[in-house]
Amino acid sequence: MLSNLSQQPEDKILALMAQYRADPRDTKVDLGVGVYKDASGHTPIMRAVKAAEKRLWEEEQTKSYVALAGDPGFSDAMVSLVLGDAVARDAVAAAATPGGTGAVRQAFELIRMANPKARIFVPNPTWPNHLSILKYLGMETVTYRYFDSATGAVDFAGMQEDLAGLTAGDVVLLHGCCHNPTGANLTLPEWQAVIAVLNDKGAMPMIDIAYQGFGDGLDADAAATRLVAKSCPETLIAASCSKNFGIYRERTGILMAVSQGQTAVAQDNLNFLNRQNFSFPPDHGARLVTMILNDDALRADWQAELEEVRNGMLGLRESLADELRKLSGSDRFGFVAQHRGMFSRLGATPEQVVHMREHHGIYMVGDSRINIAGLNAKSVPILAKAMIDAGV
């Protein structure tokens, strides 16, 4: 039977990283993998996470299963973090998942259960795994324009034109903040315009928020998600703790379903989906997040360190924009400083990306998405010089 299987396409980022590791140059720069790194290239464990782990090790009395939807305390803490007081807690069904990816997968499956004919409108570009999961599930996708490579900003006029094709029962996938892979975000007035279209067409929003706290701050980054949740009859929200808590390998995420009057049935179906796909969700990372968010001292330390991370990335953005301004004699790369989160798309062609890799040891994915957190004071000038030399 196994001989009937076909080879799956190679993961482009993993292949790129293999090339990076084989490169002998000591000036090479890794801007490919979407993982936060400090100035030394290390992905650290946050102070509050380490303190919570120590406390958990001392206090934990069992490794028995949690509930199908995970620990209720985790759901309460995450609903509060993401949604604040935008909606009543009893209007939100929630279930813990293995990472933000697990939340996205469960959201798509929930949509398919509720409406097998639903079309998923997906931004162009988006995180590649969105499209991969949708294709695997056999769900119909429609792309809408999102990013203008020439300006480095959101193509909102194109987005509006494409969303005009929505019909009742369709779902629109949106990035809550820090858009991956572009770094370009909608403004709040633009979000309000999108909400108006959704409600007019009878379409449902699905928000993937994986970088809360990496852009303009915890509350500012959640503002759009909160606005959508309180303005639309129904909203699905997939949230990740991998980045803002730095617990990538703990696979900690949550899926929320916001509705009026359908919370109980939504919760029942979230529980059912967990049971079918992985039964009980992992708890270690969720337990750490819950401890941090519910302890004043741990939360304050976590937020302080998260601010250090956020401001460090903003500083790198500004340094790169300044260096490019100096080398190019123009402001055409000013969008880099305006983008938010870990990523920016530079607008380079695949040929220019190859040129930068071969001649300067700059490793980025083929669409010219870079991980800003992969830079440091030494590598910013290297990247800027490589971009100008490649004719970006």
Side-chain angles (χ1 to χ4, degrees):
M1 179 173 296
L2 297 183
S3 62
N4 294 326
L5 295 174
S6 58
Q7 191 72 34
Q8 296 299 313
E10 184 178 39
D11 186 288
K12 294 179 180 179
I13 293 181
L14 296 181
L16 185 70
M17 291 306 95
Q19 288 181 273
Y20 174 81
R21 289 190 295 271
D23 190 331
R25 289 173 288 188
D26 57 10
T27 57
K28 63 184 178 180
V29 181
D30 171 15
L31 303 178
V33 175
V35 175
Y36 172 76
K37 299 177 183 178
D38 60 19
S40 66
H42 178 61
T43 302
I45 300 175
M46 298 183 82
R47 296 185 300 265
V49 170
K50 202 66 176 175
E53 282 188 312
K54 182 178 180 180
R55 186 181 303 175
L56 181 60
W57 178 79
E58 293 172 340
E59 297 176 356
E60 191 174 41
Q61 298 296 316
T62 182
K63 292 292 186 182
S64 182
Y65 295 121
V66 291
L68 280 175
D71 177 45
F74 174 64
S75 292
D76 289 344
M78 286 298 296
V79 169
S80 178
L81 179 69
V82 175
L83 290 174
D85 59 1
V87 297
R89 177 64 184 89
D90 61 9
V92 186
T97 59
T101 303
V104 168
R105 171 64 181 265
Q106 299 294 72
F108 289 151
E109 293 214 35
L110 187 70
I111 292 166
R112 188 172 62 173
M113 287 173 62
N115 180 10
K117 296 182 179 180
R119 298 183 299 168
I120 315 299
F121 278 63
V122 180
N124 181 23
T126 192
W127 180 47
N129 221 18
H130 287 147
L131 294 170
S132 177
I133 295 170
L134 286 166
K135 180 180 179 181
Y136 180 77
L137 292 175
M139 300 178 72
E140 183 179 356
T141 60
V142 180
T143 58
Y144 63 84
R145 282 169 283 177
Y146 183 84
F147 186 67
D148 185 341
S149 295
T151 64
V154 175
D155 178 7
F156 190 63
M159 181 178 178
Q160 285 183 304
E161 288 180 13
D162 293 342
L163 293 185
L166 286 166
T167 57
D170 288 335
V171 176
V172 179
L173 176 63
L174 298 155
H175 295 228
C177 65
C178 306
H179 184 270
N180 178 8
T182 70
N185 293 329
L186 297 169
T187 64
L188 279 181
E190 289 170 342
W191 276 102
Q192 290 169 333
V194 170
I195 290 168
V197 173
L198 289 168
N199 289 341
D200 178 63
K201 298 290 186 178
M204 183 176 72
M206 173 183 160
I207 298 177
D208 186 354
I209 181 166
Y211 301 94
Q212 185 183 355
F214 269 31
D216 292 310
L218 282 168
D219 287 328
D221 289 348
T225 300
R226 293 171 182 177
L227 181 63
V228 172
K230 73 178 182 180
S231 303
C232 295
E234 298 176 335
T235 306
L236 294 180
I237 303 166
S240 171
C241 301
S242 294
K243 287 79 178 177
N244 51 11
F245 287 88
I247 50 175
Y248 296 88
R249 66 175 59 175
E250 306 301 349
R251 311 311 301 132
T252 307
I254 190 168
L255 174 60
M256 307 175 202
V258 185
S259 67
Q260 297 299 328
Q262 301 299 322
T263 307
V265 70
Q267 187 65 62
D268 181 63
N269 279 271
L270 291 181
N271 294 355
F272 172 81
L273 281 173
N274 274 14
R275 183 61 167 165
Q276 305 315 303
N277 286 332
F278 46 79
S279 202
F280 301 94
D283 182 65
H284 185 75
R287 189 73 53 178
L288 299 177
V289 169
T290 306
M291 293 171 68
I292 291 167
L293 293 179
N294 288 334
D295 182 283
D296 289 344
L298 288 177
R299 183 167 184 147
D301 192 33
W302 167 67
Q303 289 189 202
E305 188 167 5
L306 184 59
E307 276 293 285
E308 293 169 11
V309 168
R310 184 180 73 85
N311 287 324
M313 287 189 289
L314 288 177
L316 288 169
R317 288 187 174 283
E318 292 167 0
S319 295
L320 179 58
D322 289 344
E323 189 70 19
L324 287 165
R325 186 178 298 111
K326 180 175 66 177
L327 293 179
S328 69
S330 74
D331 287 323
R332 70 178 189 271
F333 297 105
F335 64 84
V336 173
Q338 300 303 314
H339 288 172
R340 288 295 182 268
M342 282 174 54
F343 304 115
S344 277
R345 182 180 272 195
L346 300 177
T349 66
E351 293 76 21
Q352 290 168 331
V353 169
V354 171
H355 180 93
M356 286 186 278
R357 182 170 69 244
E358 292 181 347
H359 295 274
H360 298 276
I362 303 293
Y363 285 78
M364 66 181 75
V365 292
D367 64 1
S368 76
R369 185 201 80 171
I370 63 169
N371 176 10
I372 289 292
L375 291 168
N376 56 38
K378 180 180 178 181
S379 58
V380 163
I382 297 174
L383 172 60
K385 181 181 178 181
M387 290 174 62
I388 299 302
D389 180 60
V392 178

